Amino acid sequence: MPYVQRGTELATIVQTPSKTWKAVIRKQGWPTAAKTFRIKRDAEDWARRTEDEMVRGVYIDRATSGRLTFGKALDRYLSEVTPTKRATSQKAEKVKAIPLRTFFGAYSLAAISSELVARYRDERLATLTKRKSKATGKAQTLSPSTVRLELALLGHLFTTAIREWRIGLAQNPVANIRKPATGDGRNRRLHSDEEDLLRKAVEGYSNPMLGWIFTIALETGMRSSEITGLRLRQVDVGRRVVRVDVTKNDSARTVPLTRRAAEAFGAALANPVRPKGCDLVFFGEPGKDGSRRPYTFTKAWNDIKESLGMSDLRFHDLRHEAVSRLVEAGFSDQEVSAISGHKSMQMLKRYTHLRAEDLVDRLDSIGAKKKGSPAEQ
């Protein structure tokens, strides 16, 4: 017969045939809690601590988190949560999951602490990538933005585990660590005659869609995925507007078109080689299943900019150029945000220096008026 002792009001301490000590707690309104220990004192301490948490209403069953490995939790996340996101996000999360699985895979969720997450952050920031610096020719360290996105995935997995899967975790270990600073972001503008050189090259490309896309990006500030994902019904050339339904921040918006952008869209809609039944504005070759997908122009764009000596220019920089021009033209932050789709004014803060430069001319004009006033003559 095993030895049984009433340790506290709610707990039963039992010595098992294997000479270990098992604490069992039964309290109305709570599921039965049990845990086995090698030493009797540990069982009593756990029982006393658990009873106190139940009385205060803050008890969390940590047994599941101690058994569930991060690798299995990640598999569940990728199969249940990731498929609910956009296709581009699904692909990106599968890539981010690789280093997370390598580092945390064998740990139980309960064993992953803020200190461990901080160590992952530091080791990832020190990691050398295959990409080499164009200036030095040496391998570069991993981008802080990349590490931030990996930590965001890790943090959301823990949030999902706590809130939806009801895994017993006291806190999210990612919430309490310092995130890598991302800096002020890229600030690449088109220099001198770069726009003319690029326009001549893309308009001379064998597929005219590349030239139309270039013009639309530079005139509207739309993202490449927003442009290539457009359907015929979303474009109204007559009213000079485009309705963007699928965006990075999930906020649909209506984009006004300049005359040049409207002309580019008009040409794209009238494309004589458009396949019958294809409602994509910019369409690619049919896949193995025979269906058409958005036009992919990455290779053509990279070849052109490399040939022009603009290897540091990214297609997304055209968006930055377009937004900068809107700011320089005197549009308000609210107007720029409505056109570009920036979700908050904070995201537009890196364009404020452009307004400051405009203010210099206005200040000079004020000074000139005062100097020429009758009172000073």
Side-chain angles (χ1 to χ4, degrees):
M1 289 289 293
Y3 173 79
V4 179
Q5 173 183 325
R6 286 284 174 183
T8 62
E9 180 183 350
L10 302 175
T12 300
I13 309 297
V14 179
Q15 187 178 35
T16 68
S18 60
K19 304 302 181 182
T20 59
W21 294 88
K22 183 176 183 179
V24 182
I25 301 177
R26 297 180 178 86
K27 177 175 173 58
Q28 186 175 0
W30 294 89
T32 299
K35 193 170 183 179
T36 302
F37 299 87
R38 187 171 57 85
I39 301 173
K40 178 182 177 183
R41 174 60 65 83
D42 292 341
E44 292 173 341
D45 290 343
W46 175 85
R48 189 175 299 106
R49 192 166 56 249
T50 302
E51 287 178 8
D52 178 64
E53 290 178 354
M54 287 182 173
V55 171
R56 292 187 292 116
V58 296
Y59 170 69
I60 298 174
D61 183 2
R62 299 175 177 84
T64 304
S65 65
R67 294 192 300 267
L68 180 63
T69 65
F70 176 81
K72 291 184 177 179
L74 183 59
D75 288 337
R76 181 176 178 182
Y77 184 94
L78 293 175
S79 64
E80 295 181 8
V81 181
T82 300
T84 65
K85 304 179 182 181
R86 295 194 307 271
T88 52
S89 297
Q90 292 180 34
K91 183 178 179 180
E93 287 199 342
K94 290 176 182 178
V95 174
K96 296 173 203 167
I98 296 173
L100 291 172
R101 186 188 300 278
T102 301
F103 189 92
F104 297 106
Y107 287 94
S108 70
L109 292 186
I112 299 177
S113 62
S114 295
E115 291 79 8
L116 188 63
V117 175
R119 179 152 63 89
Y120 171 83
R121 174 202 63 204
D122 295 340
E123 290 185 8
R124 286 293 285 165
L125 287 173
T127 300
L128 294 178
T129 66
K130 293 181 179 179
R131 180 186 300 171
K132 293 185 178 181
S133 168
K134 295 180 176 63
T136 64
K138 298 180 179 179
Q140 297 176 308
T141 54
L142 208 62
S143 163
S145 296
T146 299
V147 180
R148 280 182 70 93
L149 292 173
E150 292 172 0
L151 292 175
L153 173 58
L154 179 64
H156 191 248
L157 183 149
F158 273 97
T159 297
T160 302
I162 295 170
R163 296 180 180 177
E164 298 185 18
W165 302 344
R166 309 305 298 173
I167 303 297
L169 291 164
Q171 63 180 0
N172 186 331
V174 184
N176 298 320
I177 70 159
R178 174 178 50 81
K179 309 304 187 296
T182 56
D184 297 327
R186 285 177 61 83
N187 194 30
R188 175 67 158 87
R189 298 286 303 269
L190 292 178
H191 307 305
S192 58
D193 60 347
E194 285 185 335
E195 180 179 347
D196 292 335
L197 291 172
L198 283 167
R199 188 177 299 281
K200 182 178 180 180
V202 296
E203 290 181 352
Y205 186 65
S206 58
N207 191 329
M209 286 192 286
L210 180 59
W212 299 330
I213 290 172
F214 173 83
T215 296
I216 292 166
L218 199 54
E219 294 290 318
T220 67
M222 293 171 63
R223 301 176 179 89
S224 61
S225 60
E226 294 173 344
I227 298 173
T228 57
L230 287 172
R231 305 284 173 169
L232 299 178
R233 65 180 181 276
Q234 295 173 251
V235 182
D236 190 334
V237 176
R239 295 173 56 209
R240 285 172 49 187
V241 293
V242 170
R243 179 66 177 175
V244 184
D245 297 327
V246 180
T247 67
K248 181 180 178 181
N249 54 32
D250 295 324
S251 298
R253 72 184 189 279
T254 300
V255 181
L257 304 177
T258 63
R259 294 188 184 279
R260 200 168 198 173
E263 290 172 0
F265 270 117
L269 296 182
N271 193 341
V273 299
R274 179 182 308 284
K276 185 178 180 180
C278 179
D279 67 342
L280 282 166
V281 177
F282 302 102
F283 49 89
E285 294 297 320
K288 293 182 179 180
D289 57 359
S291 62
R292 300 269 180 172
R293 292 174 176 78
Y295 174 52
T296 302
F297 60 90
T298 304
K299 185 178 185 307
W301 167 257
N302 287 338
D303 289 344
I304 287 174
K305 68 174 188 173
E306 290 286 347
S307 67
L308 296 175
M310 304 179 196
S311 57
D312 65 324
L313 181 69
R314 302 176 186 173
F315 190 85
H316 195 71
D317 292 329
L318 301 182
R319 172 173 166 81
H320 178 75
E321 179 68 29
V323 175
S324 297
R325 293 180 181 183
L326 290 173
V327 174
E328 290 169 338
F331 285 85
S332 68
D333 286 343
Q334 290 76 13
E335 290 169 332
V336 173
S337 177
I339 296 171
S340 68
H342 286 91
K343 202 166 186 179
S344 68
M345 297 303 105
Q346 179 71 11
M347 297 176 71
L348 290 171
K349 67 178 183 179
R350 61 185 172 135
Y351 299 98
T352 55
H353 71 281
L354 300 174
R355 297 195 192 283
E357 291 169 4
D358 291 339
L359 288 175
V360 171
D361 294 334
R362 292 173 62 184
L363 288 171
D364 287 345
S365 65
I366 293 174
K369 288 180 181 179
K370 287 185 175 181
K371 186 175 181 180
S373 64
E376 292 188 3
Q377 292 179 353

